[in-house]
Amino acid sequence: MFRWMMRSSLSLQGRRGRSEIKVKILTTEDTGVHRGGDYFRLGGAREELIWSGLRFARVGLMRILIRRAVRRAALSVLGFSAILAQAQISASAAAEQQLFFSVNRVRRSQGLPTLKWNEGLALAARRHAEVMARHGAVEHGFAGEPSLAARVSQTGVHFISLSENVCQGVGAAAVQAEFLHSPNHRANILDTDMNSVGIGVVERGGQLFVVEDFSKVR
């Protein structure tokens, strides 16, 4: 004969509310353990366990863990997308600078003064390059888009004259080669009336959409 007592409780927060399972055992004799449908009998004491609550709590906990895992996966994807977007921006910026150096290298080879980089012209060029990338085509203007003069004016650049080169290619070197092999594009690069340039590059589907805006800035 002996007397002992055990108390314990477990509370879990489920999706639809709180579910609580309590265990309380009190006995005065060691007569063994008997399992009923919804309770234990230890000696002569009745121990009630809310099995449905336990199952609900487990399902609720599992749903919480799954939601957390999904959120972590979503954050990982967003983080990777941000890194990829930043890499694309960096690659486009590098292509812009490569083309800028190429333009001035060709001008120096012809004994012409180099062009100054103008960020307002570059902004106008990038905006038009983005429009070309969305259309998947190379044009100086699309329906509903402002004209070249309007695009440049919107950036705050005050100019006397403007010209523009547009192209699509697999890389900066290929685009520059296309410009130099075209008499009209080459003439824009070597125009002695221009003193500034801004270049915009947008990558889409492995292709570079390039816009070079030349200007004689006031």
CSV table of all heavy atoms in Angstrom, one decimal, residues 51-91:
chain,number,residue,atom,x,y,z
A,51,TRP,N,-8.6,13.6,-25.7
A,51,TRP,CA,-7.8,13.1,-26.9
A,51,TRP,C,-8.1,14.0,-28.1
A,51,TRP,O,-7.2,14.3,-28.9
A,51,TRP,CB,-8.2,11.7,-27.2
A,51,TRP,CG,-7.7,10.7,-26.2
A,51,TRP,CD1,-8.4,10.1,-25.2
A,51,TRP,CD2,-6.3,10.4,-25.9
A,51,TRP,NE1,-7.6,9.4,-24.4
A,51,TRP,CE2,-6.3,9.5,-24.8
A,51,TRP,CE3,-5.1,10.7,-26.6
A,51,TRP,CZ2,-5.1,9.0,-24.3
A,51,TRP,CZ3,-4.0,10.1,-26.1
A,51,TRP,CH2,-4.0,9.3,-25.0
A,52,SER,N,-9.3,14.4,-28.3
A,52,SER,CA,-9.7,15.3,-29.5
A,52,SER,C,-8.9,16.6,-29.4
A,52,SER,O,-8.4,17.1,-30.4
A,52,SER,CB,-11.2,15.6,-29.5
A,52,SER,OG,-11.6,16.2,-28.4
A,53,GLY,N,-8.8,17.2,-28.2
A,53,GLY,CA,-8.0,18.4,-28.0
A,53,GLY,C,-6.5,18.2,-28.3
A,53,GLY,O,-5.9,19.0,-28.9
A,54,LEU,N,-6.0,17.0,-27.9
A,54,LEU,CA,-4.6,16.7,-28.2
A,54,LEU,C,-4.4,16.6,-29.7
A,54,LEU,O,-3.4,17.2,-30.2
A,54,LEU,CB,-4.2,15.4,-27.5
A,54,LEU,CG,-2.8,14.9,-27.8
A,54,LEU,CD1,-1.8,15.9,-27.2
A,54,LEU,CD2,-2.6,13.5,-27.1
A,55,ARG,N,-5.3,15.9,-30.4
A,55,ARG,CA,-5.1,15.8,-31.8
A,55,ARG,C,-5.2,17.2,-32.5
A,55,ARG,O,-4.5,17.5,-33.4
A,55,ARG,CB,-6.2,14.9,-32.4
A,55,ARG,CG,-6.0,13.4,-32.1
A,55,ARG,CD,-6.9,12.6,-33.0
A,55,ARG,NE,-8.3,12.8,-32.7
A,55,ARG,CZ,-9.0,12.1,-31.8
A,55,ARG,NH1,-8.4,11.2,-31.1
A,55,ARG,NH2,-10.3,12.4,-31.7
A,56,PHE,N,-6.2,18.0,-32.0
A,56,PHE,CA,-6.3,19.4,-32.6
A,56,PHE,C,-5.1,20.2,-32.3
A,56,PHE,O,-4.6,20.9,-33.2
A,56,PHE,CB,-7.5,20.1,-31.9
A,56,PHE,CG,-7.7,21.5,-32.4
A,56,PHE,CD1,-8.2,21.8,-33.6
A,56,PHE,CD2,-7.3,22.5,-31.5
A,56,PHE,CE1,-8.4,23.1,-34.0
A,56,PHE,CE2,-7.4,23.8,-31.9
A,56,PHE,CZ,-8.0,24.1,-33.2
A,57,ALA,N,-4.5,20.1,-31.1
A,57,ALA,CA,-3.3,20.8,-30.8
A,57,ALA,C,-2.2,20.4,-31.6
A,57,ALA,O,-1.4,21.3,-32.1
A,57,ALA,CB,-3.0,20.7,-29.3
A,58,ARG,N,-2.0,19.1,-31.9
A,58,ARG,CA,-1.0,18.7,-32.8
A,58,ARG,C,-1.1,19.2,-34.2
A,58,ARG,O,-0.2,19.6,-34.8
A,58,ARG,CB,-0.9,17.1,-32.8
A,58,ARG,CG,-0.4,16.6,-31.5
A,58,ARG,CD,-0.4,15.0,-31.5
A,58,ARG,NE,0.2,14.5,-30.3
A,58,ARG,CZ,0.1,13.2,-30.0
A,58,ARG,NH1,-0.5,12.3,-30.8
A,58,ARG,NH2,0.7,12.7,-28.9
A,59,VAL,N,-2.4,19.2,-34.7
A,59,VAL,CA,-2.6,19.7,-36.0
A,59,VAL,C,-2.3,21.2,-36.1
A,59,VAL,O,-1.7,21.7,-37.0
A,59,VAL,CB,-4.1,19.4,-36.5
A,59,VAL,CG1,-4.4,20.1,-37.8
A,59,VAL,CG2,-4.3,17.9,-36.6
A,60,GLY,N,-2.8,21.9,-35.1
A,60,GLY,CA,-2.5,23.3,-35.0
A,60,GLY,C,-1.1,23.7,-35.0
A,60,GLY,O,-0.6,24.6,-35.7
A,61,LEU,N,-0.3,22.9,-34.2
A,61,LEU,CA,1.1,23.2,-34.1
A,61,LEU,C,1.8,22.9,-35.4
A,61,LEU,O,2.7,23.6,-35.9
A,61,LEU,CB,1.7,22.3,-33.0
A,61,LEU,CG,3.2,22.4,-32.8
A,61,LEU,CD1,3.6,23.8,-32.4
A,61,LEU,CD2,3.7,21.4,-31.7
A,62,MET,N,1.4,21.8,-36.1
A,62,MET,CA,1.9,21.4,-37.4
A,62,MET,C,1.7,22.5,-38.4
A,62,MET,O,2.5,22.9,-39.2
A,62,MET,CB,1.4,20.1,-37.9
A,62,MET,CG,2.0,19.7,-39.2
A,62,MET,SD,3.7,19.4,-39.1
A,62,MET,CE,3.8,17.9,-38.0
A,63,ARG,N,0.5,23.1,-38.3
A,63,ARG,CA,0.1,24.2,-39.3
A,63,ARG,C,1.0,25.4,-39.0
A,63,ARG,O,1.4,26.1,-40.0
A,63,ARG,CB,-1.3,24.6,-39.2
A,63,ARG,CG,-2.3,23.5,-39.7
A,63,ARG,CD,-3.7,23.9,-39.5
A,63,ARG,NE,-4.6,22.9,-40.1
A,63,ARG,CZ,-5.9,22.9,-39.9
A,63,ARG,NH1,-6.5,23.8,-39.1
A,63,ARG,NH2,-6.7,22.0,-40.5
A,64,ILE,N,1.2,25.7,-37.7
A,64,ILE,CA,2.1,26.8,-37.4
A,64,ILE,C,3.5,26.6,-37.9
A,64,ILE,O,4.1,27.5,-38.5
A,64,ILE,CB,2.1,27.1,-35.9
A,64,ILE,CG1,0.8,27.5,-35.4
A,64,ILE,CG2,3.2,28.1,-35.5
A,64,ILE,CD1,0.6,27.6,-33.9
A,65,LEU,N,4.0,25.4,-37.7
A,65,LEU,CA,5.4,25.1,-38.2
A,65,LEU,C,5.5,25.2,-39.7
A,65,LEU,O,6.5,25.7,-40.3
A,65,LEU,CB,5.8,23.7,-37.7
A,65,LEU,CG,6.0,23.6,-36.2
A,65,LEU,CD1,6.3,22.1,-35.8
A,65,LEU,CD2,7.1,24.5,-35.7
A,66,ILE,N,4.4,24.7,-40.4
A,66,ILE,CA,4.4,24.7,-41.9
A,66,ILE,C,4.4,26.2,-42.4
A,66,ILE,O,5.1,26.6,-43.3
A,66,ILE,CB,3.2,24.0,-42.4
A,66,ILE,CG1,3.4,22.5,-42.2
A,66,ILE,CG2,3.0,24.2,-43.9
A,66,ILE,CD1,2.2,21.6,-42.6
A,67,ARG,N,3.5,27.0,-41.7
A,67,ARG,CA,3.5,28.4,-42.1
A,67,ARG,C,4.8,29.1,-41.9
A,67,ARG,O,5.3,29.9,-42.7
A,67,ARG,CB,2.4,29.2,-41.3
A,67,ARG,CG,1.0,28.8,-41.8
A,67,ARG,CD,0.0,29.9,-41.3
A,67,ARG,NE,0.0,29.9,-39.8
A,67,ARG,CZ,-0.9,29.2,-39.1
A,67,ARG,NH1,-1.8,28.4,-39.7
A,67,ARG,NH2,-0.9,29.4,-37.8
A,68,ARG,N,5.5,28.8,-40.8
A,68,ARG,CA,6.8,29.4,-40.6
A,68,ARG,C,7.8,29.0,-41.6
A,68,ARG,O,8.6,29.8,-42.1
A,68,ARG,CB,7.3,29.0,-39.2
A,68,ARG,CG,6.6,29.7,-38.0
A,68,ARG,CD,7.1,29.2,-36.7
A,68,ARG,NE,6.4,29.9,-35.6
A,68,ARG,CZ,6.6,29.7,-34.3
A,68,ARG,NH1,7.4,28.7,-34.0
A,68,ARG,NH2,5.9,30.3,-33.4
A,69,ALA,N,7.8,27.7,-42.0
A,69,ALA,CA,8.7,27.2,-43.0
A,69,ALA,C,8.4,27.8,-44.4
A,69,ALA,O,9.3,28.2,-45.1
A,69,ALA,CB,8.5,25.7,-43.1
A,70,VAL,N,7.1,28.0,-44.7
A,70,VAL,CA,6.7,28.7,-45.9
A,70,VAL,C,7.2,30.1,-45.9
A,70,VAL,O,7.8,30.6,-46.9
A,70,VAL,CB,5.2,28.6,-46.2
A,70,VAL,CG1,4.8,29.5,-47.3
A,70,VAL,CG2,4.8,27.2,-46.4
A,71,ARG,N,7.1,30.8,-44.8
A,71,ARG,CA,7.5,32.2,-44.7
A,71,ARG,C,9.0,32.3,-44.9
A,71,ARG,O,9.6,33.2,-45.6
A,71,ARG,CB,7.1,32.8,-43.4
A,71,ARG,CG,5.7,33.3,-43.3
A,71,ARG,CD,5.4,34.2,-42.1
A,71,ARG,NE,5.7,33.6,-40.9
A,71,ARG,CZ,4.8,33.0,-40.1
A,71,ARG,NH1,3.5,32.9,-40.6
A,71,ARG,NH2,5.1,32.5,-39.0
A,72,ARG,N,9.8,31.4,-44.2
A,72,ARG,CA,11.2,31.4,-44.4
A,72,ARG,C,11.6,31.1,-45.8
A,72,ARG,O,12.5,31.8,-46.4
A,72,ARG,CB,11.9,30.3,-43.5
A,72,ARG,CG,11.9,30.7,-42.0
A,72,ARG,CD,12.8,29.8,-41.2
A,72,ARG,NE,12.4,28.4,-41.2
A,72,ARG,CZ,11.6,27.9,-40.3
A,72,ARG,NH1,11.2,28.7,-39.3
A,72,ARG,NH2,11.2,26.6,-40.3
A,73,ALA,N,10.9,30.2,-46.5
A,73,ALA,CA,11.2,29.9,-47.9
A,73,ALA,C,10.9,31.1,-48.8
A,73,ALA,O,11.7,31.5,-49.7
A,73,ALA,CB,10.4,28.7,-48.4
A,74,ALA,N,9.8,31.8,-48.5
A,74,ALA,CA,9.4,33.0,-49.3
A,74,ALA,C,10.5,34.1,-49.1
A,74,ALA,O,10.9,34.8,-50.0
A,74,ALA,CB,8.0,33.5,-48.8
A,75,LEU,N,10.9,34.3,-47.8
A,75,LEU,CA,11.9,35.3,-47.6
A,75,LEU,C,13.2,35.0,-48.3
A,75,LEU,O,13.9,35.9,-48.8
A,75,LEU,CB,12.2,35.4,-46.1
A,75,LEU,CG,11.1,36.1,-45.3
A,75,LEU,CD1,11.4,36.0,-43.8
A,75,LEU,CD2,10.9,37.5,-45.7
A,76,SER,N,13.6,33.7,-48.3
A,76,SER,CA,14.8,33.3,-49.1
A,76,SER,C,14.7,33.6,-50.5
A,76,SER,O,15.6,34.1,-51.2
A,76,SER,CB,15.0,31.8,-48.9
A,76,SER,OG,15.2,31.5,-47.5
A,77,VAL,N,13.5,33.3,-51.1
A,77,VAL,CA,13.3,33.6,-52.5
A,77,VAL,C,13.3,35.1,-52.8
A,77,VAL,O,14.0,35.5,-53.8
A,77,VAL,CB,11.9,33.0,-53.0
A,77,VAL,CG1,11.6,33.5,-54.4
A,77,VAL,CG2,11.9,31.5,-53.0
A,78,LEU,N,12.7,35.9,-51.9
A,78,LEU,CA,12.8,37.3,-52.1
A,78,LEU,C,14.2,37.8,-52.0
A,78,LEU,O,14.6,38.7,-52.7
A,78,LEU,CB,11.9,38.0,-51.0
A,78,LEU,CG,10.4,37.8,-51.2
A,78,LEU,CD1,9.6,38.4,-50.0
A,78,LEU,CD2,9.9,38.5,-52.5
A,79,GLY,N,14.9,37.3,-51.0
A,79,GLY,CA,16.3,37.7,-50.9
A,79,GLY,C,17.1,37.4,-52.1
A,79,GLY,O,17.9,38.2,-52.6
A,80,PHE,N,16.9,36.2,-52.7
A,80,PHE,CA,17.6,35.8,-53.9
A,80,PHE,C,17.2,36.7,-55.0
A,80,PHE,O,18.1,37.1,-55.8
A,80,PHE,CB,17.3,34.3,-54.2
A,80,PHE,CG,18.0,33.8,-55.5
A,80,PHE,CD1,19.3,33.6,-55.6
A,80,PHE,CD2,17.2,33.7,-56.7
A,80,PHE,CE1,19.9,33.2,-56.7
A,80,PHE,CE2,17.8,33.3,-57.8
A,80,PHE,CZ,19.1,33.0,-57.9
A,81,SER,N,15.9,37.0,-55.1
A,81,SER,CA,15.5,37.9,-56.2
A,81,SER,C,16.1,39.3,-56.1
A,81,SER,O,16.4,39.9,-57.1
A,81,SER,CB,13.9,38.0,-56.2
A,81,SER,OG,13.3,36.7,-56.3
A,82,ALA,N,16.2,39.7,-54.9
A,82,ALA,CA,16.8,41.1,-54.7
A,82,ALA,C,18.3,41.0,-55.1
A,82,ALA,O,18.8,42.0,-55.7
A,82,ALA,CB,16.7,41.5,-53.2
A,83,ILE,N,19.0,39.9,-54.7
A,83,ILE,CA,20.4,39.8,-55.1
A,83,ILE,C,20.5,39.7,-56.6
A,83,ILE,O,21.4,40.4,-57.2
A,83,ILE,CB,21.0,38.6,-54.5
A,83,ILE,CG1,21.1,38.8,-53.0
A,83,ILE,CG2,22.4,38.3,-55.0
A,83,ILE,CD1,21.5,37.5,-52.2
A,84,LEU,N,19.6,39.0,-57.3
A,84,LEU,CA,19.6,38.8,-58.7
A,84,LEU,C,19.4,40.2,-59.4
A,84,LEU,O,20.0,40.6,-60.4
A,84,LEU,CB,18.6,37.8,-59.2
A,84,LEU,CG,18.5,37.5,-60.7
A,84,LEU,CD1,19.9,37.0,-61.2
A,84,LEU,CD2,17.4,36.5,-61.0
A,85,ALA,N,18.4,40.9,-58.9
A,85,ALA,CA,18.0,42.2,-59.4
A,85,ALA,C,19.2,43.2,-59.3
A,85,ALA,O,19.6,43.9,-60.2
A,85,ALA,CB,16.8,42.8,-58.7
A,86,GLN,N,19.9,43.1,-58.1
A,86,GLN,CA,21.1,44.0,-57.9
A,86,GLN,C,22.2,43.6,-58.9
A,86,GLN,O,22.9,44.5,-59.4
A,86,GLN,CB,21.5,43.9,-56.5
A,86,GLN,CG,22.7,44.8,-56.1
A,86,GLN,CD,22.3,46.3,-56.3
A,86,GLN,OE1,21.2,46.7,-55.9
A,86,GLN,NE2,23.2,47.1,-56.9
A,87,ALA,N,22.4,42.3,-59.1
A,87,ALA,CA,23.4,41.9,-60.0
A,87,ALA,C,23.1,42.4,-61.4
A,87,ALA,O,24.0,42.8,-62.2
A,87,ALA,CB,23.5,40.3,-60.0
A,88,GLN,N,21.8,42.3,-61.8
A,88,GLN,CA,21.4,42.8,-63.2
A,88,GLN,C,21.7,44.3,-63.3
A,88,GLN,O,22.1,44.8,-64.3
A,88,GLN,CB,20.0,42.5,-63.4
A,88,GLN,CG,19.7,41.0,-63.6
A,88,GLN,CD,18.2,40.7,-63.8
A,88,GLN,OE1,17.3,41.5,-63.4
A,88,GLN,NE2,17.9,39.6,-64.5
A,89,ILE,N,21.4,45.1,-62.2
A,89,ILE,CA,21.6,46.5,-62.2
A,89,ILE,C,23.1,46.8,-62.4
A,89,ILE,O,23.5,47.6,-63.1
A,89,ILE,CB,21.0,47.2,-61.0
A,89,ILE,CG1,19.5,47.1,-61.0
A,89,ILE,CG2,21.5,48.6,-60.8
A,89,ILE,CD1,18.9,47.5,-59.7
A,90,SER,N,23.9,46.0,-61.6
A,90,SER,CA,25.4,46.2,-61.7
A,90,SER,C,25.9,45.9,-63.0
A,90,SER,O,26.8,46.6,-63.5
A,90,SER,CB,26.0,45.3,-60.6
A,90,SER,OG,25.6,45.7,-59.3
A,91,ALA,N,25.4,44.8,-63.6
A,91,ALA,CA,25.8,44.4,-65.0
A,91,ALA,C,25.4,45.5,-66.0
A,91,ALA,O,26.2,45.9,-66.9
A,91,ALA,CB,25.2,43.1,-65.4
